[in-house]
Amino acid sequence: GAGVSQSPSNKVTEKGKDVELRCDPISGHTALYWYRQSLGQGLEFLIYFQGNSAPDKSGLPSDRFSAERTGGSVSTLTIQRTQQEDSAVYLCASSLAPTSGVNTQYFGPGTRLTVL
Amino acid sequence: AQTVTQSQPEMSVQEAETVTLSCTYDTSESNYYLFWYKQPPSRQMILVIRQEAYKQQNATENRFSVNFQKAAKSFSLKISDSQLGDTAMYFCAFMKHVTGANSKLTFGKGITLSVRP
C-alpha cells in the first residue's frame, strides 16, 4: 500500500512568513509524529498525535510552531513568522495504534524548508 | 531522559565485506525498543531492524544483524556482504515502552556509511 506522503517536497520562504507543511499517514495508522532534522541539532522529536489529540507536544521549540490533525488522518505543521533557524528537513512518521503491539514508525520523504 | 550516542561520524567498507556500526544508549527504563534506520540520499528513512529489550535473542534481517548487550547498553549493527546500495546514513534510535500508548523516537547523531566498489 501507499506509504507516508508529505507535501511540499521543498519549500523556500522569506523570513517572517508563515508556512504549512502537510503529512498524509499510512492508511489505518492512528499515530502520527513530526520530527525535525537539521545539521546542528540532528533528528529531534516535535509532536505526537494519537487520533486527533496530541498527548505529547514536548518537542515544539516555540509557540510559533503548531500542529493539528483532523479526521484522524492528515496532519498540518504550521510555522508562523519563520526564522532562518527554522531551516531544516521536517519528517513525518506514522504507526499503528498502541493496542496493536506493533509500534514501528514509518517515515515519509520529508519537506525541506529553507528560510531566506 | 534517554540519550543515544553514535560516536563514529563516518565509516567506509569495501563491497562484499562486513562492517559494524556502534551505538550506545543511556536510560533508566527497563522496557524499551531499539531501532536502526537507514537514510539514503533520497532522504527517505527506512527501518533496517528492530529489537525489543526484553528479548535476549539478537534480531536478524537478512544481511543485517544486531549485537544487543543490555547490561552494557550497547546496540551495534552488523552489515554482512556489504552492497553499494547500503551507502547511506544510519541512525540508531530508542523508544521507551509505554503501556497502552505510543512513544517518540530518540535518535543518535547518525553515521555516514560509504560502500566502496
Side-chain angles (χ1 to χ4, degrees):
Chain A
V4 177
S5 61
Q6 292 186 247
S7 61
S9 178
N10 291 282
K11 175 73 176 178
V12 180
T13 191
E14 294 179 347
K15 178 182 170 181
K17 295 285 179 81
D18 296 353
V19 294
E20 284 189 352
L21 312 180
R22 175 189 167 108
C23 172
D24 204 338
I26 293 171
S27 178
H29 281 195
T30 61
L32 185 148
Y33 313 77
W34 284 98
Y35 294 87
R36 179 169 72 172
Q37 185 175 21
S38 58
L39 280 176
Q41 301 299 321
L43 268 156
E44 307 170 280
F45 165 78
L46 297 177
I47 187 169
Y48 150 54
F49 286 93
Q50 184 57 49
N52 291 336
S53 63
D56 188 356
K57 51 179 82 171
S58 62
L60 294 177
S62 75
D63 58 9
R64 295 187 296 106
F65 287 72
S66 62
E68 66 173 12
R69 190 179 184 196
T70 54
S73 182
V74 172
S75 175
T76 302
L77 177 69
T78 301
I79 309 173
Q80 295 180 310
R81 305 181 302 281
T82 52
Q83 304 294 313
Q84 288 182 332
E85 61 262 29
D86 299 335
S87 295
V89 174
Y90 290 81
L91 293 168
C92 176
S94 70
S95 68
L96 289 168
T99 50
S100 72
V102 179
N103 55 11
T104 298
Q105 295 180 23
Y106 296 91
F107 284 80
T111 294
R112 181 178 296 280
L113 175 66
T114 303
V115 182
L116 302 177
Chain B
Q2 287 70 231
T3 59
V4 178
T5 302
Q6 295 178 253
S7 56
Q8 310 151 302
E10 294 181 15
M11 287 192 76
S12 179
V13 63
Q14 193 74 33
E15 193 176 8
E17 297 293 307
T18 295
V19 64
T20 298
L21 310 183
S22 301
C23 173
T24 58
Y25 59 95
D26 191 22
T27 185
S28 58
E29 303 286 336
S30 58
N31 199 2
Y32 50 87
Y33 308 87
L34 295 162
F35 303 83
W36 279 97
Y37 280 90
K38 165 186 175 180
Q39 188 179 42
S42 67
R43 219 165 59 197
Q44 180 83 49
M45 292 278 279
I46 302 164
L47 176 70
V48 175
I49 200 163
R50 154 203 167 103
Q51 174 83 41
E52 292 89 342
Y54 64 84
K55 288 187 178 178
Q56 292 187 336
Q57 187 172 6
N58 289 324
T60 299
E61 288 286 343
N62 301 314
R63 298 183 295 107
F64 301 88
S65 61
V66 298
N67 183 4
F68 173 47
Q69 302 289 329
K70 191 172 184 179
K73 295 180 181 172
S74 170
F75 183 62
S76 60
L77 175 69
K78 185 171 83 170
I79 306 174
S80 303
D81 185 25
S82 297
Q83 300 176 359
L84 296 179
D86 296 333
T87 293
M89 196 150 186
Y90 287 80
F91 291 93
C92 178
F94 173 101
M95 178 195 292
K96 74 176 181 180
H97 174 79
V98 179
T99 302
N102 285 320
S103 182
K104 66 183 181 186
L105 288 164
T106 300
F107 288 91
K109 293 288 188 187
I111 177 171
T112 300
L113 176 67
S114 300
V115 180
R116 305 185 305 273

